[in-house]
Amino acid sequence: MTIRDAYALDGKLPSPDARFDLVVIGAGPAGTEAAIAGARAGKSVLLVDENPVAPDLMRTDVPLFYGLRMTGAVETPERMLETLLSTNPLLETAFELGVEVLLGTSAWGLYAPQPGLATLPGQLVGLADATRSWLIGFDELVVAAGARDFVLGFPGWDQPGVMGAMALKMLLERYEAFAGRRIVILGSGDLALRTALAALRHGIEVAGLIEVRACVQGNAALAAQVAAAGVPLFAGSVVTRADGGADGVKQVVITGLSGETSIACDTVCLAIAAVPAIELLAAAGARLAVSATRGGHVPMIDAAGLTSLAGVSAIGDCAGIVSAPDSLAYHAEWLAALARGSTGDTIVCQCESVSRADLLGVQPPAYLGARSECMAARNIDTLLADGPPDQDQIKRLTRAGMGLCQGRRCRDQVSLLLAAEAGLAPDAAPFTGYRAPVRPIPLGILADWAEAPGMSDGWDVWFGVPAQWTPYRDIGTEREAMHIAILGGGHI
Amino acid sequence: MSGSNVVVIGAGVTGLSTAWWLARSGASVTVLDKGVVGWEASSRNGGGASHYHSPLFQEEQRLWPMMDELLGYPTEYQRGRVIAAMTEKQLTHYHYMADMFLELGYAVDRIDPHQAIAFSPLLSDANLGGIHLHFGGHANPQRTVQAYAWATQDLGGRILQNTPALRLVAEGDRVTGVETAQGLIGCDAVVVAAGPQTAVLLAGIGIDLPLSAARAEMIITEPAPLMPVGGVDGNGLYGRQTLRGNLAYGGGPHEWLDTGPGSPPRPTSPLSRNLARRVAVLFPKAAKLRVIRSWAGVVENTPDGRPVLDRVHGNVTIGVMSGVGFGLSPASGHALRDLVMDGQCSFAEIGKLKLDRFQGLAPDWREQRGWFPAALA
Ligand SMILES: Cc1cc2nc3c(=O)[nH]c(=O)nc-3n(C[C@H](O)[C@H](O)[C@H](O)COP(=O)(O)OP(=O)(O)OC[C@H]3O[C@@H](n4cnc5c(N)ncnc54)[C@H](O)[C@@H]3O)c2cc1C
């Protein structure tokens, strides 16, 4: 007779709280247009966007690298909502067409039935706002999650005022809540040039662009506009440190052909690159590829934009960011130059205070106390003797990437540092996976407070195997039945 | 058997602890893994080390406090555990356990709700009390596996990652080598400690090990202030506070899997939300702490949930822990070393963990228990 294991997951995962023909994640231009097109085609459409992001999350540099350079305006969510609506006029159209629009709502998990997850009642996306989390079912899901910041560290980057270009763009153009006055931009590709122009448009002073290569990297017309605005380009230069005080950055020191130069500024904006925001897709098990011309790791998509997950497509920046064929090499050049210009005690992972020396020494965190001789003798070279670098393994040993920002600020630099140590080409750099929840969600909010009875009834602390916990000496005695009756499953 | 060549298949805690013990005894050891050291269950578990019921437990308890020093690398081992109840049913259950621990000679106290909170201040004010174990404990799984691996290397053992064992090569009733993509590795003895995949490898030489694999999930939060006792179970959960402060918790339903020879699937599911609820109920003062990751690992299960520690076929030693392998690892490696080198365990009687106890097991034992994967829609 075939029975069902009472303590297995089968039949216990909840059905979605609601269903839509189409769910769109991300209300940027690409996502909003996809939602509008869906509504025009007669579909029921849900459009979610995590902005306005809760200020406490912004302070941890999630989802972008805000570098604590947001104004107090972000503390007032109602005001922020208004601003976000007024800065994306397309949302109005979406509303009018009956799209259900949820702002301040993040998608933290995407789940698709697959081997090992056959118990899932169809495809689900997990959402959360400031008060609760819930699950939504869909026929089609469009991920339009945009890009996240590509971050490299240097001495002094772990202070307020060092931030990413995507965060700056968001604060300037969508939130109208950027607190800086005078910025220095790292990079001179299209992203850096556009960032400079956007800053200038918003009345921010741009004190210069720092470029590691010998000449400007971006589009000539954009470069000409930036130059015409009187923004100097420091080519062949690299940041050696950012100095600051209680409010963060006050000046940045760069080293180039002509020696050391200090530039007064309150913000250093990393605009070397932006990275497709693939975390939701990657955590769901979508197939990925590495593409220099698309900005690094991207979901594999077909001509229709469909990923390897049924009914799930990716559009806009999260599907790939047009990049130069040598973009990955360019990232690596930046990393190498910044590393050359700094000492090993430079922080790589801010959340867990892991320095470059700790990382490459594969050393455990300081709170574990004094290092044994054997431990001190281990390093990345001894580890590489065992095989290619594995970023997840090194993450667990050193804790780089294990913190509250979920590795957003260090995953790229750790990957590049390991690739450099192992002599791997940038497109073969190690990659650490993503896991749900892809946004940090408080326990009390992630919790399923309306848990179905089947879940509670069929809960055991472990597997509910009746004989497992019988003390060895009682196995095969008459006492065994008593233990099984009491310890044998249903430890709820 | 000192100086003999032993191949250990599987660089999980069981295989690596065995390799380390063998290397300490002068054997020449080669450990093979299909992936990276500890990549499967051994680095993905709750880190719990309180398996009172096992014949290996006393040896485990003796060894754990010495492991950092013996291995030379940190394991983050912490002694002691609190089990706190949120319901009367749980409390009755935990008290039963405490009585049993006392009978077995392990020190344990019943504690009231205030005492529970004193040990673990994040616990709910509505807790009903529970028990405090003066034994047992927890350690960091990834650090521990890596420590065994490095300590084995320090003693001259070889660890070959990304080298799956494809087949055991037998001559007569002895295994003479292990076939890998990189060639045949000859051996005087073999230890099969490949977790859920152990059965597939043994089947190749005609040994039937009944095993079924399932996926189990955990979640982890951002750090909280350190509690005096960080090993807190209860409310249907197992887990620990790491020395960094994170709360790492698992429990609840598992999903049965088909495991072929490759890497098993280990996605997580919305069960994260049910785990979050139970953690938030047990630790309401931590309800604002953010969950930053979830993960799953694959657990090897024998029909009775007990390990198989046995030497068969002359020189084939089997080490399968049935879901309690992490905590017992210092002792399981010792026992397996003894089986390989001396044919019997030196420190405990483990006869009831032999493979032949499953003779006569119904061929449809999985169906009888419902231990098979759900059909993918
Ligand atoms: C979520 C979770 C929580 C848990 N909590 C606890 C706990 O708190 N306490 C506890 O004691 N236990 C716990 N466990 C169980 C524990 O993790 C396992 O019992 C233990 O890790 C088993 O170790 P192992 O070395 O026997 O097997 P594994 O860790 O599975 O290692 C087997 C190794 O063999 C390798 N392998 C497989 N096939 C081949 C091949 N053909 N060739 C070469 N290599 C191969 C695999 O890659 C793997 O590395 C938990 C497990 C999970 C998943």
Side-chain angles (χ1 to χ4, degrees):
Chain A
M1 194 187 68
T2 299
I3 61 153
R4 222 183 67 192
D5 170 8
Y7 303 110
L9 198 51
D10 309 51
K12 294 190 181 129
L13 290 174
S15 302
D17 298 271
R19 284 195 72 82
F20 288 84
D21 296 335
L22 171 66
V23 174
V24 181
I25 309 298
T32 314
E33 280 181 30
I36 288 171
R40 289 221 161 100
K43 295 173 185 166
S44 62
V45 185
L46 172 66
L47 172 62
V48 301
D49 194 290
E50 62 194 320
N51 295 292
V53 174
D56 60 340
L57 209 53
M58 294 179 92
R59 281 191 281 273
T60 63
D61 292 326
V62 178
L64 301 174
F65 185 26
Y66 305 99
L68 287 174
R69 276 296 179 258
M70 49 279 182
T71 64
V74 303
E75 303 294 334
T76 321
E78 309 79 57
R79 218 212 98 183
M80 276 299 109
L81 263 178
E82 265 168 48
T83 312
L84 284 167
L85 290 173
S86 73
T87 52
N88 183 3
L90 273 180
L91 281 175
E92 183 89 32
T93 315
F95 279 123
E96 279 162 13
L97 288 167
V99 173
E100 180 158 346
V101 182
L102 295 177
L103 300 182
T105 303
S106 61
W108 50 264
L110 172 59
Y111 299 99
Q114 55 188 286
L117 195 43
T119 51
L120 199 70
Q123 302 198 90
L124 297 172
V125 60
L127 303 179
D129 62 17
T131 59
R132 67 179 186 120
S133 70
W134 67 103
L135 299 171
I136 294 288
F138 55 85
D139 291 332
E140 287 173 68
L141 180 104
V142 173
V143 183
R148 65 173 175 82
D149 286 305
F150 172 82
V151 183
L152 298 178
F154 48 85
W157 78 289
D158 49 337
Q159 66 181 316
V162 179
M163 69 183 304
M166 300 315 294
L168 179 60
K169 182 176 154 79
M170 187 63 81
L171 291 182
L172 284 175
E173 296 180 352
R174 301 289 314 280
Y175 283 65
E176 298 175 349
F178 175 56
R181 304 298 321 149
R182 185 178 153 88
I183 70 174
V184 163
I185 295 173
L186 305 193
S188 72
D190 289 355
L191 176 69
L193 297 169
R194 291 215 170 86
T195 301
L197 294 172
L200 293 168
R201 265 199 313 277
H202 284 83
I204 311 292
E205 235 183 296
V206 181
L209 265 56
I210 318 295
E211 172 52 50
V212 73
R213 286 184 173 170
C215 60
V216 70
Q217 296 297 298
N219 171 295
L222 288 174
Q225 280 184 55
V226 171
V231 175
L233 172 76
F234 299 89
S237 302
V238 71
V239 177
T240 39
R241 65 172 200 273
D243 298 325
D247 292 328
V249 176
K250 284 184 174 159
Q251 67 163 12
V252 61
V253 178
I254 66 170
T255 307
L257 296 174
S258 52
E260 233 181 50
T261 314
S262 306
I263 310 172
C265 61
D266 54 42
T267 301
V268 181
C269 177
L270 285 143
I272 299 161
V275 192
I278 59 166
E279 52 264 48
L280 198 59
L281 291 164
R287 239 172 265 134
L288 305 177
V290 185
S291 162
T293 55
R294 288 165 67 200
H297 279 92
V298 286
M300 286 172 85
I301 49 175
D302 65 12
L306 279 170
T307 68
S308 64
L309 305 172
V312 177
S313 48
I315 59 169
D317 281 355
C318 75
I321 299 169
V322 177
S323 310
D326 68 343
S327 67
L328 302 180
Y330 178 60
H331 303 169
E333 275 170 56
W334 262 105
L335 174 102
L338 289 169
R340 269 197 307 278
S342 61
T343 50
D345 59 358
T346 306
I347 290 294
V348 170
C349 170
Q350 290 195 27
C351 295
E352 302 294 312
S353 308
V354 181
S355 70
R356 195 169 75 230
D358 295 333
L359 179 82
L360 298 181
V362 199
Q363 291 299 315
Y367 60 78
L368 290 187
R371 285 162 193 170
S372 66
E373 247 170 70
C374 323
M375 190 64 246
R378 292 278 164 182
N379 56 44
I380 188 71
D381 295 330
T382 66
L383 201 64
L384 288 175
D386 296 338
D390 184 305
Q391 191 169 348
D392 282 306
Q393 179 190 25
I394 290 165
K395 166 170 140 182
R396 296 183 198 176
L397 292 170
T398 62
R399 296 197 60 83
M402 296 283 260
L404 180 53
C405 86
Q406 299 180 312
R408 283 179 172 77
R409 294 177 298 196
C410 73
R411 62 158 50 232
D412 299 309
Q413 38 181 329
V414 169
S415 161
L416 289 171
L417 280 166
L418 296 177
E421 286 300 310
L424 296 172
D427 62 356
F431 174 75
T432 172
Y434 291 92
R435 252 85 57 66
V438 298
R439 296 291 181 272
I441 311 271
L443 279 169
I445 287 183
L446 187 61
D448 180 6
W449 292 108
E451 183 174 285
M455 179 65 84
S456 323
D457 298 346
W459 188 282
D460 188 88
V461 64
W462 191 232
F463 273 66
V465 180
Q468 183 156 35
W469 309 117
T470 303
Y472 185 78
R473 67 178 189 196
D474 291 342
I475 295 174
T477 70
E478 71 276 13
R479 288 167 60 87
E480 191 165 9
M482 169 186 79
H483 292 307
I484 288 177
I486 296 171
L487 300 172
H491 296 203
I492 54 171
Chain B
M1 290 235 355
S2 172
S4 64
N5 277 318
V6 185
V7 170
V8 177
I9 304 176
V13 269
T14 310
L16 287 169
S17 174
T18 308
W20 174 66
W21 279 98
L22 286 166
R24 279 171 33 117
S25 304
S28 159
V29 200
T30 303
V31 185
L32 309 181
D33 201 282
K34 65 177 171 55
V36 176
V37 159
W39 196 238
E40 296 297 346
S42 291
S43 65
R44 297 164 181 273
N45 60 68
S50 311
H51 300 111
Y52 63 87
H53 61 291
S54 171
L56 305 177
F57 190 58
Q58 273 187 6
E59 173 70 353
E60 184 246 68
Q61 288 289 288
R62 181 182 78 84
L63 288 165
W64 263 119
M66 302 189 276
M67 288 311 278
D68 282 27
E69 205 167 314
L70 290 175
L71 296 169
Y73 300 93
T75 64
E76 291 189 43
Y77 179 71
Q78 302 284 301
R79 176 135 284 181
R81 194 163 271 278
V82 164
I83 310 183
M86 295 303 300
T87 66
E88 287 295 342
K89 185 174 173 201
Q90 290 166 359
L91 190 66
T92 310
H93 188 97
Y94 303 156
H95 284 166
Y96 179 86
M97 287 165 67
D99 293 344
M100 187 172 58
F101 297 156
L102 284 175
E103 237 184 85
L104 291 167
Y106 300 120
V108 61
D109 300 318
R110 290 190 178 199
I111 51 175
D112 68 23
H114 300 288
Q115 288 169 310
I117 290 172
F119 283 124
S120 304
L122 292 173
L123 277 172
S124 170
D125 292 337
N127 89 78
L128 303 178
I131 59 179
H132 172 232
L133 284 57
H134 296 254
F135 62 96
H138 57 101
N140 177 319
Q142 172 71 29
R143 259 181 232 301
T144 303
V145 212
Q146 194 69 59
Y148 285 124
W150 282 339
T152 301
Q153 288 179 331
D154 291 344
L155 293 170
R158 285 198 304 163
I159 294 173
L160 305 180
Q161 301 188 130
N162 308 307
T163 309
L166 303 175
R167 202 165 64 84
L168 301 174
V169 178
E171 267 172 37
D173 72 344
R174 296 182 70 80
V175 165
T176 54
V178 178
E179 194 179 299
T180 72
Q182 287 86 335
L184 184 77
I185 303 179
C187 61
D188 301 316
V190 67
V191 177
V192 191
Q197 276 93 346
T198 305
V200 185
L201 286 164
L202 290 175
I205 52 165
I207 298 174
D208 182 19
L209 170 73
L211 207 58
S212 209
R215 184 178 61 75
E217 302 186 32
M218 298 191 71
I219 58 170
I220 189 163
T221 69
E222 66 182 294
L226 284 186
M227 302 187 285
V229 175
V232 192
D233 290 344
N235 199 30
L237 297 167
Y238 63 85
R240 66 187 189 112
Q241 180 175 41
T242 69
L243 287 185
R244 171 72 169 104
N246 314 76
L247 303 175
Y249 276 87
H254 47 270
E255 176 157 336
W256 295 99
L257 305 172
D258 277 326
T259 45
S263 269
R266 28 179 151 66
T268 59
S269 78
L271 183 70
S272 295
R273 300 178 68 221
N274 307 89
L275 288 168
R277 184 181 74 83
R278 279 172 187 268
V279 179
V281 167
L282 186 64
F283 300 122
K285 297 158 200 160
K288 287 201 163 66
L289 288 186
R290 288 165 282 211
V291 178
I292 54 179
R293 281 186 298 282
S294 63
W295 69 84
V298 177
V299 182
E300 68 295 346
N301 289 279
T302 64
D304 56 14
R306 295 170 190 150
V308 174
L309 300 176
D310 199 359
R311 192 167 116 185
V312 294
H313 261 44
N315 66 347
V316 180
T317 301
I318 305 172
V320 151
M321 294 305 292
S322 196
V324 293
F326 177 74
L328 293 169
S329 63
S332 62
H334 189 183
L336 289 164
R337 174 243 161 255
D338 289 353
L339 290 179
V340 173
M341 300 196 95
D342 312 322
Q344 63 178 23
C345 180
S346 61
F347 59 87
E349 190 286 304
I350 57 170
K352 295 179 204 168
L353 302 182
K354 287 169 90 63
L355 178 60
D356 63 11
R357 70 181 186 273
F358 297 121
Q359 266 172 15
L361 183 74
D364 66 343
W365 67 275
R366 282 189 189 79
E367 286 73 24
Q368 286 184 13
R369 290 169 172 74
W371 287 16
F372 54 90
L376 198 56

